[in-house]
């Protein structure tokens, strides 16, 4: 229980802080477009596949990154807040409610929000020079989106790895 608290509380707090800061500092997205992408994102999160008793996999990252590119290229709109908020809404799976889990939703909220914000920040910084997407700058958008995806995946992997190391230490698994 103590190990889970060492991860769940700081991760949740970090996610909450990121959403708060991006809300204050970033331009909001077009909420109609955001709602469409968020609905698709939540649908894919609800269709998450359980790989084993501790690992779930979803293809929702594709929706998040597509939305991020759109928000980063729209005038007066930032991807960082839109993606952080979107990711925070997908932090739970239906079994979390059925089984009254608290650790996974809290830890997932934090790691997903921080990872999405990292990707959104890269999209905002990299695509701020693009303006209206055209055929001639599509390659640049693709490169920036790939870097944002790498940032998302790397941040998420590092945070998950740290959580697993703390909550399920290797020495406990040895006979």
């Amino acid at each position: 229980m103590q190990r889970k608290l060492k991860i769940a509380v700081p991760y949740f707090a970090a996610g909450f802080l990121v959403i708060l800061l991006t809300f204050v500092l970033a331009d909001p997205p077009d909420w109609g477009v955001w709602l469409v992408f968020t609905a698709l994102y939540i649908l894919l999160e609800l269709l998450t596949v359980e790989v084993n008793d501790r690992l779930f996999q979803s293809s929702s990252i594709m929706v998040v990154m597509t939305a991020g590119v759109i928000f980063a290229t729209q005038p007066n709109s930032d991807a960082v807040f839109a993606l952080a908020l979107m990711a925070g809404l997908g932090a739970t799976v239906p079994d979390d409610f059925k089984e009254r889990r608290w650790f996974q939703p809290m830890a997932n909220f934090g790691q997903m929000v921080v990872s999405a914000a990292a990707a959104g920040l890269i999209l905002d910084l990299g695509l701020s020079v693009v303006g209206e997407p055209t055929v001639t700058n599509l390659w640049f958008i693709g490169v920036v989106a790939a870097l944002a995806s790498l940032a998302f995946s790397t941040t998420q992997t590092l945070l998950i790895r740290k959580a697993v190391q703390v909550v399920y230490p290797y020495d406990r698994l040895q006979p």
Side-chain angles (χ1 to χ4, degrees):
M1 174 72 108
Q2 197 172 30
R3 288 182 177 141
K4 287 182 177 182
L5 284 171
K6 284 182 180 179
I7 292 297
V9 171
Y11 277 31
F12 185 82
F16 184 78
L17 184 62
V18 165
I19 287 179
L20 184 63
L21 286 173
T22 58
F23 173 75
V24 171
L25 299 174
D27 288 329
D30 175 332
W31 291 109
V33 174
W34 183 85
L35 282 172
V36 169
F37 278 106
T38 300
L40 291 170
Y41 171 71
I42 290 172
L43 176 65
L44 287 174
E45 282 297 307
L46 290 173
L47 297 173
T48 295
V49 176
E50 187 171 355
V51 178
N52 64 35
D53 65 334
R54 294 186 187 131
L55 180 64
F56 298 89
Q57 185 62 43
S58 165
S59 58
S60 60
I61 182 63
M62 293 182 282
V63 173
V64 172
M65 294 310 299
T66 302
V69 168
I70 290 171
F71 296 132
T73 57
Q74 287 182 340
N76 302 319
S77 174
D78 289 323
V80 65
F81 172 64
L83 298 189
L85 186 59
M86 187 183 297
L89 295 176
T92 60
V93 294
D95 285 346
D96 291 336
F97 297 107
K98 289 181 206 170
E99 298 176 20
R100 298 183 181 181
R101 296 178 186 155
W102 62 271
F103 168 70
Q104 281 181 289
M106 285 181 72
N108 284 347
F109 173 81
Q111 62 91 7
M112 290 173 74
V113 167
V114 170
S115 299
L121 184 60
I122 289 174
L123 289 169
D124 286 335
L125 294 173
L127 298 181
S128 65
V129 297
V130 169
E132 186 70 26
T134 64
V135 173
T136 57
N137 62 17
L138 192 57
W139 68 271
F140 183 76
I141 293 171
V143 169
V144 173
L147 291 172
S149 295
L150 182 63
F152 182 96
S153 299
T154 302
T155 304
Q156 194 172 42
T157 298
L158 292 172
L159 290 171
I160 292 170
R161 184 176 180 177
K162 180 64 175 174
V164 169
Q165 287 173 343
V166 170
V167 176
Y168 308 105
Y170 182 72
D171 60 318
R172 249 184 35 169
L173 301 175
Q174 296 300 312

